[in-house]
mmCIF file of all heavy atoms in Angstrom:
data_model
loop_
_atom_site.group_PDB
_atom_site.id
_atom_site.type_symbol
_atom_site.label_atom_id
_atom_site.label_comp_id
_atom_site.label_asym_id
_atom_site.label_seq_id
_atom_site.Cartn_x
_atom_site.Cartn_y
_atom_site.Cartn_z
ATOM 1 N N LEU A 1 0.793 -1.183 0.061
ATOM 2 C CA LEU A 1 -0.027 -0.020 -0.081
ATOM 3 C C LEU A 1 0.897 1.251 0.041
ATOM 4 O O LEU A 1 0.612 2.275 -0.716
ATOM 5 C CB LEU A 1 -0.901 -0.012 1.208
ATOM 6 C CG LEU A 1 -2.159 -0.920 1.140
ATOM 7 C CD1 LEU A 1 -2.762 -1.195 2.485
ATOM 8 C CD2 LEU A 1 -3.059 -0.476 0.142
ATOM 9 N N LYS A 2 1.961 1.280 0.785
ATOM 10 C CA LYS A 2 2.843 2.366 0.833
ATOM 11 C C LYS A 2 3.655 2.468 -0.424
ATOM 12 O O LYS A 2 3.916 3.561 -1.092
ATOM 13 C CB LYS A 2 3.821 2.322 2.007
ATOM 14 C CG LYS A 2 3.132 2.450 3.376
ATOM 15 C CD LYS A 2 2.511 3.905 3.452
ATOM 16 C CE LYS A 2 3.700 4.815 3.698
ATOM 17 N NZ LYS A 2 3.221 6.276 4.033
ATOM 18 N N ASN A 3 4.195 1.295 -0.940
ATOM 19 C CA ASN A 3 4.989 1.349 -2.262
ATOM 20 C C ASN A 3 4.229 1.896 -3.375
ATOM 21 O O ASN A 3 4.813 2.551 -4.246
ATOM 22 C CB ASN A 3 5.575 -0.085 -2.508
ATOM 23 C CG ASN A 3 6.493 -0.086 -3.527
ATOM 24 O OD1 ASN A 3 7.654 0.383 -3.492
ATOM 25 N ND2 ASN A 3 6.191 -0.761 -4.689
ATOM 26 N N TRP A 4 2.972 1.505 -3.459
ATOM 27 C CA TRP A 4 2.167 2.032 -4.670
ATOM 28 C C TRP A 4 1.335 3.021 -4.279
ATOM 29 O O TRP A 4 0.383 3.460 -4.944
ATOM 30 C CB TRP A 4 1.354 0.792 -5.249
ATOM 31 C CG TRP A 4 2.203 -0.095 -6.138
ATOM 32 C CD1 TRP A 4 2.512 0.138 -7.411
ATOM 33 C CD2 TRP A 4 2.820 -1.416 -5.776
ATOM 34 N NE1 TRP A 4 3.285 -0.921 -7.948
ATOM 35 C CE2 TRP A 4 3.522 -1.796 -6.875
ATOM 36 C CE3 TRP A 4 2.878 -2.140 -4.694
ATOM 37 C CZ2 TRP A 4 4.237 -2.989 -6.956
ATOM 38 C CZ3 TRP A 4 3.654 -3.296 -4.627
ATOM 39 C CH2 TRP A 4 4.305 -3.740 -5.872
ATOM 40 N N LYS A 5 1.698 3.783 -3.209
ATOM 41 C CA LYS A 5 1.207 5.148 -2.904
ATOM 42 C C LYS A 5 -0.278 5.228 -2.692
ATOM 43 O O LYS A 5 -1.039 6.079 -3.231
ATOM 44 C CB LYS A 5 1.698 6.143 -3.843
ATOM 45 C CG LYS A 5 3.255 6.206 -3.869
ATOM 46 C CD LYS A 5 3.701 7.234 -4.892
ATOM 47 C CE LYS A 5 5.184 7.536 -4.838
ATOM 48 N NZ LYS A 5 6.020 6.262 -4.820
ATOM 49 N N ALA A 6 -0.826 4.315 -2.014
ATOM 50 C CA ALA A 6 -2.375 4.408 -1.666
ATOM 51 C C ALA A 6 -2.568 5.560 -0.740
ATOM 52 O O ALA A 6 -1.826 5.874 0.165
ATOM 53 C CB ALA A 6 -2.730 3.045 -0.974
ATOM 54 N N GLY A 7 -3.615 6.279 -1.018
ATOM 55 C CA GLY A 7 -3.951 7.486 -0.225
ATOM 56 C C GLY A 7 -5.173 8.179 -0.818
ATOM 57 O O GLY A 7 -5.778 7.667 -1.675
ATOM 58 N N PRO A 8 -5.296 9.438 -0.462
ATOM 59 C CA PRO A 8 -6.488 10.236 -0.952
ATOM 60 C C PRO A 8 -6.476 10.321 -2.359
ATOM 61 O O PRO A 8 -5.442 10.507 -3.044
ATOM 62 C CB PRO A 8 -6.252 11.525 -0.227
ATOM 63 C CG PRO A 8 -5.455 11.306 0.982
ATOM 64 C CD PRO A 8 -4.590 10.156 0.686
ATOM 65 N N GLY A 9 -7.625 10.182 -3.059
ATOM 66 C CA GLY A 9 -7.651 10.258 -4.501
ATOM 67 C C GLY A 9 -7.376 8.962 -5.215
ATOM 68 O O GLY A 9 -7.607 8.922 -6.417
ATOM 69 N N LYS A 10 -6.995 7.826 -4.400
ATOM 70 C CA LYS A 10 -6.744 6.577 -5.066
ATOM 71 C C LYS A 10 -7.813 5.554 -4.756
ATOM 72 O O LYS A 10 -8.388 5.667 -3.645
ATOM 73 C CB LYS A 10 -5.358 6.076 -4.658
ATOM 74 C CG LYS A 10 -4.132 6.873 -4.971
ATOM 75 C CD LYS A 10 -3.842 6.760 -6.438
ATOM 76 C CE LYS A 10 -2.657 7.520 -6.854
ATOM 77 N NZ LYS A 10 -1.433 6.797 -6.388
ATOM 78 N N LYS A 11 -8.222 4.753 -5.679
ATOM 79 C CA LYS A 11 -9.078 3.807 -5.520
ATOM 80 C C LYS A 11 -8.343 2.311 -5.415
ATOM 81 O O LYS A 11 -7.615 2.018 -6.311
ATOM 82 C CB LYS A 11 -10.101 3.603 -6.654
ATOM 83 C CG LYS A 11 -11.024 4.828 -6.874
ATOM 84 C CD LYS A 11 -12.075 4.648 -7.835
ATOM 85 C CE LYS A 11 -13.058 5.893 -7.912
ATOM 86 N NZ LYS A 11 -14.138 5.713 -8.913
ATOM 87 N N VAL A 12 -8.604 1.688 -4.175
ATOM 88 C CA VAL A 12 -7.907 0.463 -3.909
ATOM 89 C C VAL A 12 -8.894 -0.663 -3.660
ATOM 90 O O VAL A 12 -9.864 -0.511 -3.005
ATOM 91 C CB VAL A 12 -7.035 0.693 -2.614
ATOM 92 C CG1 VAL A 12 -6.375 -0.625 -2.043
ATOM 93 C CG2 VAL A 12 -6.034 1.733 -2.762
ATOM 94 N N GLY A 13 -8.634 -1.809 -4.280
ATOM 95 C CA GLY A 13 -9.438 -2.977 -4.036
ATOM 96 C C GLY A 13 -8.626 -3.991 -3.277
ATOM 97 O O GLY A 13 -7.373 -4.268 -3.360
ATOM 98 N N ILE A 14 -9.267 -4.653 -2.257
ATOM 99 C CA ILE A 14 -8.771 -5.617 -1.491
ATOM 100 C C ILE A 14 -9.500 -6.972 -1.696
ATOM 101 O O ILE A 14 -10.656 -6.998 -1.530
ATOM 102 C CB ILE A 14 -8.834 -5.314 0.031
ATOM 103 C CG1 ILE A 14 -8.110 -3.963 0.334
ATOM 104 C CG2 ILE A 14 -8.223 -6.464 0.879
ATOM 105 C CD1 ILE A 14 -6.720 -3.870 0.147
ATOM 106 N N MET A 15 -8.780 -7.999 -2.307
ATOM 107 C CA MET A 15 -9.425 -9.248 -2.589
ATOM 108 C C MET A 15 -9.366 -10.135 -1.377
ATOM 109 O O MET A 15 -8.246 -10.539 -1.004
ATOM 110 C CB MET A 15 -8.807 -9.841 -3.820
ATOM 111 C CG MET A 15 -9.058 -9.082 -5.108
ATOM 112 S SD MET A 15 -8.082 -9.756 -6.430
ATOM 113 C CE MET A 15 -8.525 -11.544 -6.597
ATOM 114 N N GLY A 16 -10.453 -10.531 -0.813
ATOM 115 C CA GLY A 16 -10.457 -11.344 0.411
ATOM 116 C C GLY A 16 -10.533 -10.663 1.621
ATOM 117 O O GLY A 16 -9.923 -9.535 1.945
ATOM 118 N N LEU A 17 -11.221 -11.096 2.728
ATOM 119 C CA LEU A 17 -11.387 -10.462 3.985
ATOM 120 C C LEU A 17 -11.038 -11.475 5.040
ATOM 121 O O LEU A 17 -11.850 -11.826 5.983
ATOM 122 C CB LEU A 17 -12.762 -9.869 4.207
ATOM 123 C CG LEU A 17 -12.848 -8.932 5.409
ATOM 124 C CD1 LEU A 17 -12.061 -7.670 5.114
ATOM 125 C CD2 LEU A 17 -14.315 -8.539 5.624
ATOM 126 N N GLY A 18 -9.770 -11.959 4.977
ATOM 127 C CA GLY A 18 -9.334 -12.955 6.014
ATOM 128 C C GLY A 18 -8.273 -12.240 6.830
ATOM 129 O O GLY A 18 -8.281 -10.969 6.993
ATOM 130 N N GLY A 19 -7.246 -13.059 7.351
ATOM 131 C CA GLY A 19 -6.300 -12.514 8.167
ATOM 132 C C GLY A 19 -5.452 -11.397 7.393
ATOM 133 O O GLY A 19 -5.053 -10.463 8.044
ATOM 134 N N LEU A 20 -5.256 -11.652 6.207
ATOM 135 C CA LEU A 20 -4.441 -10.531 5.385
ATOM 136 C C LEU A 20 -5.342 -9.480 4.989
ATOM 137 O O LEU A 20 -5.055 -8.346 5.047
ATOM 138 C CB LEU A 20 -3.725 -11.287 4.203
ATOM 139 C CG LEU A 20 -2.668 -12.256 4.432
ATOM 140 C CD1 LEU A 20 -2.155 -12.933 3.082
ATOM 141 C CD2 LEU A 20 -1.426 -11.517 5.043
ATOM 142 N N GLY A 21 -6.475 -9.927 4.383
ATOM 143 C CA GLY A 21 -7.303 -8.848 3.773
ATOM 144 C C GLY A 21 -7.899 -7.809 4.798
ATOM 145 O O GLY A 21 -7.997 -6.689 4.399
ATOM 146 N N HIS A 22 -8.218 -8.309 5.886
ATOM 147 C CA HIS A 22 -8.782 -7.280 6.978
ATOM 148 C C HIS A 22 -7.754 -6.292 7.381
ATOM 149 O O HIS A 22 -8.007 -5.119 7.735
ATOM 150 C CB HIS A 22 -9.496 -7.951 8.106
ATOM 151 C CG HIS A 22 -8.652 -8.211 9.230
ATOM 152 N ND1 HIS A 22 -7.600 -9.162 9.395
ATOM 153 C CD2 HIS A 22 -8.586 -7.696 10.603
ATOM 154 C CE1 HIS A 22 -6.985 -9.189 10.573
ATOM 155 N NE2 HIS A 22 -7.630 -8.318 11.283
ATOM 156 N N MET A 23 -6.469 -6.675 7.283
ATOM 157 C CA MET A 23 -5.404 -5.692 7.626
ATOM 158 C C MET A 23 -5.264 -4.735 6.461
ATOM 159 O O MET A 23 -4.996 -3.573 6.625
ATOM 160 C CB MET A 23 -4.074 -6.357 7.865
ATOM 161 C CG MET A 23 -3.993 -7.093 9.169
ATOM 162 S SD MET A 23 -4.519 -6.306 10.625
ATOM 163 C CE MET A 23 -3.747 -4.732 10.530
ATOM 164 N N GLY A 24 -5.325 -5.227 5.236
ATOM 165 C CA GLY A 24 -5.195 -4.353 4.035
ATOM 166 C C GLY A 24 -6.363 -3.339 4.021
ATOM 167 O O GLY A 24 -6.170 -2.153 3.739
ATOM 168 N N LEU A 25 -7.494 -3.770 4.335
ATOM 169 C CA LEU A 25 -8.684 -2.920 4.476
ATOM 170 C C LEU A 25 -8.456 -1.775 5.565
ATOM 171 O O LEU A 25 -8.665 -0.647 5.284
ATOM 172 C CB LEU A 25 -10.003 -3.700 4.875
ATOM 173 C CG LEU A 25 -11.176 -2.933 5.207
ATOM 174 C CD1 LEU A 25 -11.558 -1.865 4.219
ATOM 175 C CD2 LEU A 25 -12.388 -3.858 5.638
ATOM 176 N N LYS A 26 -7.968 -2.088 6.699
ATOM 177 C CA LYS A 26 -7.725 -1.152 7.736
ATOM 178 C C LYS A 26 -6.691 -0.087 7.310
ATOM 179 O O LYS A 26 -6.852 1.078 7.560
ATOM 180 C CB LYS A 26 -7.471 -1.813 9.100
ATOM 181 C CG LYS A 26 -8.482 -2.715 9.767
ATOM 182 C CD LYS A 26 -7.924 -3.267 11.158
ATOM 183 C CE LYS A 26 -9.159 -3.993 11.829
ATOM 184 N NZ LYS A 26 -8.875 -4.352 13.137
ATOM 185 N N PHE A 27 -5.606 -0.614 6.723
ATOM 186 C CA PHE A 27 -4.597 0.321 6.458
ATOM 187 C C PHE A 27 -5.006 1.137 5.175
ATOM 188 O O PHE A 27 -4.688 2.454 5.198
ATOM 189 C CB PHE A 27 -3.246 -0.476 5.937
ATOM 190 C CG PHE A 27 -2.481 -1.046 7.166
ATOM 191 C CD1 PHE A 27 -2.072 -2.385 7.064
ATOM 192 C CD2 PHE A 27 -2.160 -0.298 8.231
ATOM 193 C CE1 PHE A 27 -1.315 -2.862 8.159
ATOM 194 C CE2 PHE A 27 -1.546 -0.896 9.363
ATOM 195 C CZ PHE A 27 -1.082 -2.111 9.286
ATOM 196 N N ALA A 28 -5.574 0.638 4.112
ATOM 197 C CA ALA A 28 -6.068 1.411 3.096
ATOM 198 C C ALA A 28 -6.997 2.535 3.583
ATOM 199 O O ALA A 28 -6.931 3.667 3.034
ATOM 200 C CB ALA A 28 -6.734 0.544 1.950
ATOM 201 N N HIS A 29 -7.913 2.258 4.373
ATOM 202 C CA HIS A 29 -8.890 3.111 4.875
ATOM 203 C C HIS A 29 -8.153 4.267 5.718
ATOM 204 O O HIS A 29 -8.440 5.446 5.549
ATOM 205 C CB HIS A 29 -9.818 2.478 5.794
ATOM 206 C CG HIS A 29 -10.812 3.387 6.566
ATOM 207 N ND1 HIS A 29 -11.845 4.164 5.928
ATOM 208 C CD2 HIS A 29 -10.881 3.717 7.858
ATOM 209 C CE1 HIS A 29 -12.474 4.807 6.714
ATOM 210 N NE2 HIS A 29 -11.922 4.657 7.962
ATOM 211 N N ALA A 30 -7.272 3.812 6.524
ATOM 212 C CA ALA A 30 -6.457 4.792 7.299
ATOM 213 C C ALA A 30 -5.577 5.709 6.525
ATOM 214 O O ALA A 30 -5.361 6.906 6.829
ATOM 215 C CB ALA A 30 -5.604 4.115 8.384
ATOM 216 N N LEU A 31 -5.083 5.217 5.375
ATOM 217 C CA LEU A 31 -4.340 5.973 4.448
ATOM 218 C C LEU A 31 -5.169 7.017 3.604
ATOM 219 O O LEU A 31 -4.590 7.903 2.978
ATOM 220 C CB LEU A 31 -3.461 5.094 3.583
ATOM 221 C CG LEU A 31 -2.365 4.265 4.190
ATOM 222 C CD1 LEU A 31 -1.935 3.246 3.231
ATOM 223 C CD2 LEU A 31 -1.211 5.300 4.458
ATOM 224 N N GLY A 32 -6.387 6.793 3.688
ATOM 225 C CA GLY A 32 -7.280 7.778 2.940
ATOM 226 C C GLY A 32 -7.771 7.345 1.634
ATOM 227 O O GLY A 32 -8.389 8.163 0.823
ATOM 228 N N ALA A 33 -7.516 6.080 1.264
ATOM 229 C CA ALA A 33 -7.856 5.689 0.000
ATOM 230 C C ALA A 33 -9.395 5.195 -0.045
ATOM 231 O O ALA A 33 -9.884 4.849 1.024
ATOM 232 C CB ALA A 33 -7.064 4.359 -0.558
ATOM 233 N N GLU A 34 -10.025 5.394 -1.251
ATOM 234 C CA GLU A 34 -11.417 4.808 -1.406
ATOM 235 C C GLU A 34 -11.262 3.302 -1.589
ATOM 236 O O GLU A 34 -10.598 2.912 -2.535
ATOM 237 C CB GLU A 34 -12.059 5.412 -2.629
ATOM 238 C CG GLU A 34 -13.480 4.885 -2.824
ATOM 239 C CD GLU A 34 -14.106 5.540 -4.052
ATOM 240 O OE1 GLU A 34 -13.717 6.649 -4.491
ATOM 241 O OE2 GLU A 34 -15.076 4.948 -4.566
ATOM 242 N N THR A 35 -11.770 2.547 -0.653
ATOM 243 C CA THR A 35 -11.420 1.200 -0.540
ATOM 244 C C THR A 35 -12.653 0.225 -0.737
ATOM 245 O O THR A 35 -13.676 0.414 -0.169
ATOM 246 C CB THR A 35 -10.848 0.785 0.887
ATOM 247 O OG1 THR A 35 -9.783 1.749 1.232
ATOM 248 C CG2 THR A 35 -10.364 -0.628 0.913
ATOM 249 N N THR A 36 -12.447 -0.749 -1.705
ATOM 250 C CA THR A 36 -13.464 -1.670 -1.976
ATOM 251 C C THR A 36 -13.017 -3.105 -1.575
ATOM 252 O O THR A 36 -11.846 -3.539 -1.918
ATOM 253 C CB THR A 36 -13.716 -1.749 -3.578
ATOM 254 O OG1 THR A 36 -14.192 -0.466 -3.836
ATOM 255 C CG2 THR A 36 -14.731 -2.733 -3.892
#
């Protein structure tokens, strides 16, 4: 998420909501990305 500069104005998709996916969701949201 940091390497590909997720943040405000970016649309980020997270595939899966398991142990990995739920962390991706929390981080993408906190970074300010529009998260699906």
